[in-house]
Amino acid sequence: MSDKTAACSFCGQEQTAHIPLIAGMNGHICEACVRLAHQVISTWSRKRSMSEPLKTPPKPLQIKAILDGYVIGQDTAKETLAVAVYNHFKRLNLETDKPRICTRADKSVVELDKSNILLLGPSGTGKTLLASTLARIVGVPFVIADATTLTQAGYVGEDVESIIARLLDSADGNKELAEWGIVYIDEIDKLARSGENSHGTRDVGGEGVQQALLKLVEGTTVKVPAKGRKDQAPVMLDTRNILFIVGGAFSGLEKLLEKRLKPGAKGIGFHSTHTPDDPKADKLRLFSEVQPEDLRHFGLIPEFIGRFPVITALHELDEDALVRILTEPQNALTKQYHQLFALDNAELEFTDEALRAIAQKAIAHGTGARGLRGVLETLLRKLMFTLPSEENVVRCVVTEDVVKDGAEIVLEYRESETPTTVETQVSTSLNAALRKAFLNGLQGEIARSHTTPPAQATNAGRP
């Protein structure tokens, strides 16, 4: 019997009372190397799954150029999202080629952590549109969830784990691909802490959901029930590498920002100093000044805010931006209505003054870009009702008077002759010819009656 101490055949770790080894036919292996081998083997399947998205990962400028085709303005938010997605692909590349080694402390190995993003801005500024557009261009699974439907576990509603289940569905059940997906949670401001109420009921849809999302965003293993047969084992999915993006309107946050940013009046009465306000400049500047402390006062818990280090604000849209939204994007509203009218063989045209009047109405409604469709539907509803029954309409022109004063939309008709007109002309010509022939025949009979002798006319009546 040999007195030689057994050692791991991979790393050379000797067997001790605290470090057991698994013996094989020709060698041994320690627990740390078993974990590393499992991680390396799992990267093989991940690498096969990631072969498609990693062929040509988009660069930040390319991502922003695609977003520019759908979203007008908001350059800061688009640059932030483009950098976040590109870094996500770089982490994916690095993790696939060189998986994290947890066996020993190696100072040369640098682990890249994710940077989750929080988007905030008024309603109708493009937060949801940015997320939905981003889902088209990324090569990894992308899920858009709604925070208003989430509740704590055990209560009526969806658990936070349902988001991961949807991500797994978007990856067609591919666990390795789903672990590198992107999740966007909309209406996150609705999870703000509501405070103590008079009934003493528990806030299961606000602070409770924030606490449930903490480990999910930070990184944990979620048990996703397998769909299909009941005897199938659940899928264990790691959320450590899933990029989380949350967004919300945060209505009411402006008052907290104004209170913090606006300097207090100095002096009392006649000695006080008054500074004129610029409401337009304040609205565009306020959300860019948001700090984590403001979000805490709004109702988000500090632990939740800390898990979203990148805070990006979307500014309110002005009249020029709304006019560009009407005409420039690939799916612009005017292009959509042009297509609808083209199906009825008619051309729809908006004057420049009409577009500005539509933008002014949307601003007055206070719903941002979402209000543009409502204004257009109101303007075009009557015309879209009567146009299919109209004939020979070739162009419909919407002017400023139509938007502001409710005037009728100008219709232009086709000038070509119709079969009905030709038939009418033929019928008229035929009637004129018959009338002329009848008159000529009548005149001939009268002339012959005057030339007949009276005697012959008398004798003609005798036998």
Side-chain angles (χ1 to χ4, degrees):
M1 185 173 173
S2 176
D3 296 334
K4 186 178 178 181
T5 304
C8 177
S9 303
F10 291 88
C11 65
Q13 174 66 48
E14 294 185 354
Q15 183 178 13
T16 63
H18 302 288
I19 304 178
L21 299 180
I22 301 174
M25 295 181 62
N26 298 317
H28 299 77
I29 186 171
C30 65
E31 180 183 1
C33 289
V34 169
R35 294 182 182 275
L36 177 60
H38 176 266
Q39 190 173 1
V40 171
I41 292 174
S42 64
T43 59
W44 292 348
S45 59
R46 183 184 298 122
K47 195 167 187 176
R48 289 192 296 268
S49 302
M50 296 299 176
S51 58
E52 283 299 322
L54 289 181
K55 280 184 178 178
T56 55
K59 295 180 174 58
L61 284 176
Q62 296 173 346
I63 297 175
K64 184 179 181 298
I66 297 175
L67 292 177
D68 287 337
Y70 294 89
V71 184
I72 297 298
Q74 315 297 2
D75 290 335
T76 303
K78 286 188 283 191
E79 290 174 2
T80 302
L81 291 175
V83 171
V85 171
Y86 183 66
N87 287 340
H88 187 66
F89 276 102
K90 288 197 293 186
R91 292 177 54 247
L92 177 56
N93 272 318
L94 182 63
E95 187 74 13
T96 303
D97 296 336
K98 297 180 180 180
R100 297 187 181 188
I101 301 175
C102 305
T103 54
R104 289 196 179 94
D106 189 357
K107 295 183 179 180
S108 63
V109 177
V110 178
E111 298 179 357
L112 299 179
D113 293 327
K114 60 183 179 181
S115 297
N116 299 314
I117 303 172
L118 188 148
L119 298 176
L120 52 89
S123 177
T125 53
K127 298 182 296 296
T128 307
L129 181 59
L130 279 172
S132 60
T133 306
L134 201 62
R136 303 177 185 178
I137 60 179
V138 298
V140 294
F142 196 106
V143 167
I144 299 178
D146 194 345
T148 57
T149 62
L150 301 176
T151 57
Q152 277 185 278
Y155 292 88
V156 177
E158 295 184 4
D159 298 338
V160 294
E161 287 80 7
S162 63
I163 300 175
I164 306 302
R166 290 175 54 189
L167 188 64
L168 185 62
D169 291 340
S170 67
D172 296 329
N174 191 327
K175 171 179 172 293
E176 288 77 15
L177 192 60
E179 288 181 343
W180 284 94
I182 300 176
V183 173
Y184 175 77
I185 305 177
D186 202 5
E187 307 292 346
I188 199 66
D189 55 313
K190 306 304 186 292
L191 300 182
R193 184 167 40 197
S194 59
E196 299 293 336
N197 50 44
S198 57
H199 302 286
T201 56
R202 188 174 183 181
D203 184 16
V204 299
E207 183 180 357
V209 179
Q210 292 186 51
Q211 294 174 349
L213 284 171
L214 292 180
K215 291 302 296 179
L216 195 70
V217 174
E218 183 71 19
T220 186
T221 302
V222 178
K223 183 186 294 184
V224 180
K227 292 187 176 181
R229 295 171 52 186
K230 294 183 178 180
D231 56 351
Q232 286 183 333
V235 179
M236 306 302 294
L237 199 143
D238 186 10
T239 66
R240 177 171 50 92
N241 293 317
I242 297 176
L243 180 65
F244 285 87
I245 305 172
V246 298
F250 290 87
S251 178
L253 185 61
E254 303 94 335
K255 297 179 181 179
L256 297 175
L257 294 172
E258 289 175 356
K259 186 178 180 180
R260 179 172 64 85
L261 296 175
K262 201 171 184 180
K266 299 180 179 179
I268 301 175
F270 293 104
H271 301 286
S272 63
T273 57
H274 176 71
T275 56
D277 296 331
D278 186 359
K280 183 177 180 180
D282 286 342
K283 284 185 178 181
L284 297 178
R285 180 180 59 89
L286 273 178
F287 279 99
S288 62
E289 300 291 337
V290 171
Q291 298 295 331
E293 185 70 14
D294 302 318
L295 298 176
R296 188 180 66 82
H297 287 301
F298 184 82
L300 298 182
I301 60 178
E303 298 89 342
F304 186 81
I305 300 171
R307 282 163 173 79
F308 292 89
V310 182
I311 300 176
T312 302
L314 284 79
H315 60 77
E316 193 171 358
L317 300 172
D318 57 5
E319 182 180 322
D320 294 335
L322 291 178
V323 172
R324 293 180 60 196
I325 289 173
L326 283 170
T327 57
E328 293 185 11
Q330 186 171 345
N331 292 331
L333 286 175
T334 54
K335 296 179 181 179
Q336 295 180 29
Y337 284 99
H338 285 164
Q339 183 68 24
L340 285 176
F341 277 70
L343 297 176
D344 288 326
N345 300 320
E347 182 182 348
L348 180 64
E349 181 180 338
F350 294 89
T351 63
D352 295 339
E353 294 78 10
L355 292 175
R356 291 205 165 272
I358 293 172
Q360 291 169 5
K361 271 199 169 184
I363 293 175
H365 293 167
T367 53
R370 287 192 179 95
L372 294 173
R373 182 177 288 274
V375 175
L376 287 174
E377 285 288 337
T378 304
L379 292 175
L380 303 175
R381 181 179 61 246
K382 184 177 180 180
L383 179 60
M384 290 189 293
F385 178 74
T386 59
L387 182 63
S389 302
E390 294 280 348
E391 294 182 358
N392 302 324
V393 176
V394 66
R395 182 179 290 108
C396 309
V397 182
V398 180
T399 61
E400 184 180 9
D401 295 335
V402 176
V403 182
K404 290 186 175 181
D405 303 329
E408 294 292 333
I409 297 176
V410 180
L411 301 181
E412 298 181 9
Y413 292 89
R414 192 175 291 107
E415 297 179 356
S416 61
E417 292 184 351
T418 60
T420 304
T421 305
V422 176
E423 291 175 2
T424 304
Q425 292 179 354
V426 172
S427 178
T428 304
S429 301
L430 182 61
N431 291 336
L434 292 174
R435 190 181 301 109
K436 184 177 181 181
F438 175 77
L439 292 175
N440 291 337
L442 183 61
Q443 290 175 357
E445 290 293 334
I446 295 173
R448 283 193 294 271
S449 64
H450 285 296
T451 58
T452 303
Q456 293 181 359
T458 306
N459 295 331
R462 294 179 182 180

